[in-house]
C-alpha cells in the first residue's frame, strides 16, 4: 500500500455518504440519482487487490492513511487497485471514509 501526494487535479464524482461497503455504494448509485460534484484530487492511494478487497468490506473503520490526509471539504484521495473500481474518498476531517464516490464514467 503506497500513498502519494499529487499535483491537484479536478474530477467529477458522485458521492455516497457514510457507506458501509462497496456493495452499498453500487446499490445506491444504480437506484438513485446522485448529483455530481467537482472535487480536487490531492492524493493517490495505491493498494493491492487483497488490500482493496479487505478495505471495501468495511469502510467505516478508521484508517491511518485517512487520518494523515489534511484536506479541505472539496479535496479527496483516489484509491486504486489492479482490476478494481477507482474510489474517491472525501474524509471531511474524519478518520474514516465519510464520503466515498465513483467517477462519473465509472
Amino acid at each position: 500500500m503506497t500513498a502519494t501526494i499529487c499535483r491537484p487535479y479536478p474530477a467529477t464524482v458522485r458521492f455516497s455518504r457514510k457507506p458501509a461497503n462497496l456493495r452499498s455504494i453500487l446499490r445506491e448509485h444504480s437506484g438513485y440519482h446522485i448529483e455530481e460534484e467537482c472535487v480536487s484530487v490531492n492524493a493517490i492511494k495505491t493498494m493491492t487487490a487483497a488490500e482493496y478487497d479487505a478495505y471495501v468490506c468495511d469502510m467505516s473503520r478508521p484508517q491511518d492513511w485517512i487520518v494523515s490526509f489534511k484536506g479541505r471539504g472539496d479535496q479527496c484521495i483516489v484509491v486504486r487497485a489492479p482490476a478494481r473500481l477507482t474510489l474517491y474518498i472525501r474524509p471531511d476531517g474524519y478518520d474514516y471514509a465519510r464520503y466515498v464516490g465513483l467517477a462519473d464514467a465509472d
Side-chain angles (χ1 to χ4, degrees):
M1 193 177 330
T2 61
T4 308
I5 302 298
C6 65
R7 172 188 252 184
Y9 66 88
T12 304
V13 182
R14 296 179 298 140
F15 285 101
S16 294
R17 183 176 176 269
K18 294 169 50 173
N21 53 42
L22 181 58
R23 179 182 233 152
S24 65
I25 295 169
L26 296 173
R27 184 173 44 246
E28 184 176 344
H29 281 242
S30 67
Y32 301 99
H33 172 73
I34 301 171
E35 281 298 315
E36 299 171 344
E37 297 179 40
C38 291
V39 293
S40 176
V41 174
N42 289 50
I44 299 170
K45 183 74 173 171
T46 305
M47 298 180 172
T48 64
E51 290 169 334
Y52 181 96
D53 293 342
Y55 173 65
V56 298
C57 285
D58 183 7
M59 296 178 151
S60 62
R61 288 178 297 149
Q63 301 289 327
D64 291 340
W65 55 271
I66 292 177
V67 172
S68 65
F69 181 71
K70 304 292 185 209
R72 297 184 323 254
D74 66 337
Q75 296 176 331
C76 66
I77 307 165
V78 168
V79 176
R80 294 185 177 145
R84 302 294 190 268
L85 289 173
T86 300
L87 301 176
Y88 295 81
I89 308 294
R90 205 177 78 204
D92 283 2
Y94 291 86
D95 60 356
Y96 66 96
R98 180 122 173 128
Y99 294 93
V100 181
L102 301 172
D104 188 37
D106 292 345

